[in-house]
């Protein structure tokens, strides 16, 4: 059905400006789109080149953003948004085949909507292909008249900040009216930001959201989370520097003018830009203040090069602008953090100022928080917070392997060089996260209540399993032995493919509220786009998720792996009777598995109209998809898992589809069952 005011696509999620590495305690040219390519047969083991990210220059990206901004009113109409809602373009990425993924925030009657993010994927011709939303909640009927004064919200925020260690007596950012959609129904609220310092000396950027009708605190989050050069960790390396007159300074002109500053034990401002008469920095010892600067500059340069050369992203925001780094923060500060508000990384010098937190993986971890903040914007709380942390660990490992520095070879250990624990052990282990004594190896229903540095464990474990597989092995001299929650093996697809899948999911599928189940859905969708649903890569993604207790393997881990497919096309009448497509299963012993894989391929101009069921040989129906007025994309090309263990496998299975609203039509292209 075509968009009407009653059929709105909406999203939920909070805005996170920054994140970091460590836990300090347990806490709850022209860029026109290229034409779509004709479908090509997949090549086993190789990604579909059209589904890979296009390497956009900053100018090309800016052009795409301008085009999206010009078309945002029409996009809002196509999505069925109400007249009081407006879209705000936040980011654009593009695939080689011309598919463009545009991220939007929203406003309601001119007020920012905290949690209005969504991603629209469009074809080269501009037709919407899919929409990824943080929530299907409907944004309407919000009373924008506040019943409490802003001063009450500020008082509440100051009290919350005091508990974190801040001594501020007034807010750094006065209460502003917003619409809060992260939980429950959309609500008018105040957002207040209080600065100062936390108990351990980390800068404080506490965001407090207060209900504007009742004065109840709805949410709070911390926007700063603990988190030729002669370097301390990477040996002698080449750095990007700039010569001004007769003075060299650590400004990397080849990487967006990234600057490295010396705070000289201060805790505010930028300090002093590293400058001198020669182009040699540090001596490898922590006592030389230039050494930490060289390490930080080197790590920032490697991270810039990795994202540009591997994923086609020029800079953290994709706009070609470099961040900046600050080293020697405070004295004896055992932490490092990224702040999106200043677009900068900051590093302490560790215990006794002897181990600055400036190793390659720490630098990459912090900058990757910036990438997340400018793509999916994963809320730094609950399961999405764990995925946020894991994303930084994943790309920290990726950059370290990519750098291939013999002084710091790649590994699946986090922070192994900086000796946070004082006994030479790493901060985190990706092959078996629980080895650190706090992280979790697998998902469970309560993991959202665990500190995000430990709830990241399952995603780190997933990435390791997907990259290397289960079992004992030695990589770059480090021994690993990764087991699975279901006791079944996982075959790795190689780190390069695993990185590719995670980054594309982050950039085009994940939203601010993505949890573990949604991350599985997103990575499977990407694996399907790149390699196809029958590929070894797709199966390994399924198996790796099952290995951390997220979803099941094809056949529930005990199936035969046999596949049966119907390719008969069946027209779906507009607002009419249900139609079916059938296939016959034979030669499969016993019952269907507890996780029968159902691959559905339907073309339709408004998928929200469709109700889809799988009907077993017994006549029992299993709901795959309900109709939804906010499900505004086209087509249904998805994989579902069904507990069909009560059905005898052999017999006739049907895909039943009904269009329950008017104005749109489509067809069943086929469906497939994997036992």
């Amino acid at each position: 059905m075509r968009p009407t005011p009653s059929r709105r696509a909406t999203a939920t999620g909070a805005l996170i400006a920054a994140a970091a590495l460590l836990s300090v305690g347990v806490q709850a040219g022209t860029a026109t789109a290229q034409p779509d390519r004709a479908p090509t047969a997949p090549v086993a083991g190789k990604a579909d080149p059209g589904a890979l990210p296009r390497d956009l220059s900053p100018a090309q990206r800016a052009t795409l953003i301008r085009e999206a901004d010009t078309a945002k009113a029409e996009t809002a109409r196509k999505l069925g948004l109400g007249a009081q809602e407006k879209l705000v373009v936040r980011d654009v990425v593009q695939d080689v085949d011309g598919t463009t993924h545009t991220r939007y925030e929203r406003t309601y009657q001119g007020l920012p909507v905290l949690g209005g993010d969504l991603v629209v994927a469009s074809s080269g011709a501009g037709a919407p292909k899919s929409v990824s939303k943080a929530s299907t909640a409907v944004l309407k009927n919000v009373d924008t008249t506040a019943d409490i004064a802003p001063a009450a919200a500020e008082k509440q925020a100051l009290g919350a900040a005091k508990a974190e260690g801040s001594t501020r007596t007034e807010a750094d950012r006065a209460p502003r009216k917003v619409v809060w959609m992260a939980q429950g129904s959309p609500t008018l609220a105040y957002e207040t930001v209080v600065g100062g310092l936390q108990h351990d000396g980390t800068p404080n950027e506490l965001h407090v959201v207060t209900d504007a009708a009742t004065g109840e605190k709805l949410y709070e989050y911390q926007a700063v989370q603990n988190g030729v050069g002669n370097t301390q960790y990477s040996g002698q390396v080449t750095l990007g520097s700039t010569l001004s007159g007769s003075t060299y300074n650590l400004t990397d002109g080849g990487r967006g003018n990234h600057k490295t500053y010396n705070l000289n034990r201060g805790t505010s401002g930028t300090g002093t830009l590293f400058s001198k008469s020669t182009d040699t920095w540090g001596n490898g010892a922590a006592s030389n203040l230039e050494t930490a600067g060289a390490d930080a500059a080197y790590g920032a340069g490697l991270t810039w090069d990795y994202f540009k050369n591997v994923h086609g992203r020029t800079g953290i925001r994709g706009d070609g602008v470099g961040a900046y780094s600050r080293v020697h923060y405070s004295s004896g500060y055992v932490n490092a953090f990224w702040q999106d508000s200043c677009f900068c990384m900051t590093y302490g010098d560790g215990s006794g100022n002897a181990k600055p937190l400036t190793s390659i993986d720490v630098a990459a971890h912090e900058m990757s928080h910036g990438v997340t903040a400018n793509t999916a914007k994963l809320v730094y709380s609950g399961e999405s917070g764990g995925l946020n942390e894991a994303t930084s660990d994943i790309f920290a490992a990726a950059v370290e392997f990519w750098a291939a520095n013999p002084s710091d070879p790649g590994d699946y250990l986090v922070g192994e060089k900086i000796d946070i624990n004082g006994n030479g052990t790493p901060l985190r282990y990706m092959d078996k996260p629980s080895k650190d004594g706090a992280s979790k190896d697998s998902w469970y229903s309560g993991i959202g209540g665990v500190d995000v540095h430990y709830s990241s464990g399952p995603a780190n474990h997933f990435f390791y399993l997907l990259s290397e597989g289960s079992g004992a092995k030695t990589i770059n001299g480090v021994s690993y032995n990764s087991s699975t929650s279901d006791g079944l093996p996982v075959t790795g697809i190689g780190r390069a493919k695993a990185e590719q899948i995670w980054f594309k999911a982050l950039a085009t599928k994940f939203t601010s509220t993505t949890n573990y189940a949604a991350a599985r859905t997103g990575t499977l969708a990407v694996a399907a786009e790149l390699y196809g649903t029958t590929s070894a890569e797709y199966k390994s993604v399924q198996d790796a998720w099952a290995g951390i207790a997220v979803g099941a393997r094809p056949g529930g881990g005990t199936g035969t792996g046999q596949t049966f497919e119907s390719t008969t096309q069946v027209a779906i009448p507009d607002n009419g009777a249900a139609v079916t497509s059938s296939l016959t299963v034979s030669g499969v012993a016993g019952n269907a598995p507890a996780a029968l894989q159902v691959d559905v391929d339907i073309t339709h101009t408004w998928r929200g109209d469709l109700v889809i069921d799988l009907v077993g040989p017994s006549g029992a129906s299993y709901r795959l998809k309900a109709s939804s007025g906010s499900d505004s994309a086209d087509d249904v090309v998805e994989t579902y898992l069904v507990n069909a263990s009560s059905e005898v496998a052999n017999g006739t299975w049907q895909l039943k589809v009904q269009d329950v609203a008017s104005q749109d039509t489509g067809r069943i292209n086929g469906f497939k069952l994997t036992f």
Side-chain angles (χ1 to χ4, degrees), residues 450-472:
V450 176
D451 180 277
V452 296
H453 298 87
Y454 308 136
S455 64
S456 63
N460 282 340
H461 192 191
F462 161 81
F463 179 77
Y464 176 86
L465 288 170
L466 185 61
S467 298
E468 306 293 347
S470 56

Side-chain angles (χ1 to χ4, degrees), residues 150-507:
E154 181 173 16
K155 181 179 179 181
Q156 182 182 80
L158 289 170
K162 183 178 180 181
E164 297 293 322
S166 175
T167 59
R168 286 284 202 267
T169 57
E170 61 181 26
D172 285 39
R173 196 184 307 166
R176 65 167 182 165
K177 287 170 71 173
V178 299
V179 175
W180 174 250
M181 283 188 66
Q183 299 155 323
S185 301
T187 303
L188 183 69
Y190 289 109
E191 181 195 30
T192 311
V193 182
V194 181
L197 298 176
Q198 299 178 51
H199 290 296
D200 69 342
T202 303
N204 188 66
E205 284 184 30
L206 188 69
H207 292 239
V208 178
V209 181
T210 304
D211 191 309
T214 66
E216 175 189 0
K217 184 170 70 174
L218 298 173
Y219 196 76
E220 71 174 64
Y221 68 87
Q222 183 58 256
V224 183
Q225 297 289 336
N226 290 357
V228 169
N230 294 302
T231 68
Q232 185 168 351
Y233 303 114
S234 302
Q236 190 171 76
V237 298
T238 299
L239 302 179
S241 59
T242 300
L243 178 64
S244 178
S246 59
T247 301
Y248 291 94
N249 58 68
L250 277 184
T251 299
D252 194 338
R255 298 179 178 92
N257 288 322
H258 174 277
K259 300 178 186 295
T260 306
Y261 293 95
N262 176 16
L263 278 175
N264 198 28
R265 317 295 186 216
T267 58
S268 62
T270 57
T272 305
L273 181 66
F274 279 101
S275 303
K276 62 188 304 187
S277 59
T278 64
D279 202 12
T280 300
W281 307 89
N283 63 5
S287 57
N288 185 311
L289 297 185
E290 291 177 4
T291 298
D295 270 302
Y298 178 61
L302 287 175
T303 307
W304 175 286
D305 290 349
Y306 167 79
F307 279 107
K308 185 176 191 303
N309 295 331
V310 177
H311 301 299
R313 189 175 186 86
T314 306
I316 286 174
R317 291 189 297 241
D319 60 359
V321 177
Y324 66 85
S325 297
R326 308 185 303 173
V327 298
H328 305 305
Y329 175 87
S330 192
S331 180
Y333 180 69
V334 190
N335 224 322
F337 53 89
W338 165 269
Q339 287 177 277
D340 207 50
S341 59
C342 67
F343 203 55
C344 69
M345 291 88 66
T346 304
Y347 305 91
D349 285 331
S351 180
N353 296 322
K355 285 280 189 177
L357 280 77
T358 50
S359 60
I360 293 172
D361 57 354
V362 175
H365 178 109
E366 300 309 335
M367 291 184 74
S368 295
H369 274 308
V371 173
T372 298
N374 286 277
T375 51
K377 223 168 190 177
L378 290 160
V379 175
Y380 207 70
S381 177
E383 291 192 23
S384 59
L387 292 168
N388 188 318
E389 267 299 305
T391 295
S392 282
D393 284 350
I394 286 167
F395 290 124
V399 171
E400 195 176 72
F401 274 106
W402 185 81
N405 185 300
S407 297
D408 189 5
D411 52 51
Y412 292 97
L413 310 173
V414 181
E416 74 280 359
K417 288 283 190 179
I418 56 178
D419 196 20
I420 290 292
N421 298 323
N423 58 7
T425 59
L427 187 63
R428 290 191 283 278
Y429 303 79
M430 300 182 80
D431 66 318
K432 189 172 180 58
S434 60
K435 286 173 66 175
D436 67 14
S439 292
K440 310 304 177 185
D441 291 332
S442 301
W443 180 89
Y444 62 96
S445 60
I447 201 165
V450 176
D451 180 277
V452 296
H453 298 87
Y454 308 136
S455 64
S456 63
N460 282 340
H461 192 191
F462 161 81
F463 179 77
Y464 176 86
L465 288 170
L466 185 61
S467 298
E468 306 293 347
S470 56
K473 58 199 66 185
T474 300
I475 304 166
N476 283 352
V478 179
S479 296
Y480 304 95
N481 192 358
S482 192
S483 59
T484 60
S485 63
D486 59 4
L488 297 172
V490 172
T491 300
I493 63 175
R495 190 177 53 258
K497 291 180 180 179
E499 294 169 21
Q500 181 186 68
I501 288 170
W502 193 265
F503 179 81
K504 185 173 171 67
L506 178 76

Side-chain angles (χ1 to χ4, degrees), residues 572 602-604 606-612 625-628 636 657-660:
I572 304 170
I602 295 173
T603 297
H604 199 271
W606 186 278
R607 56 177 281 160
D609 290 353
L610 300 180
V611 178
I612 306 174
K625 178 190 175 300
S627 62
S628 172
V636 181
V657 181
Q658 184 174 14
D659 184 329
V660 297

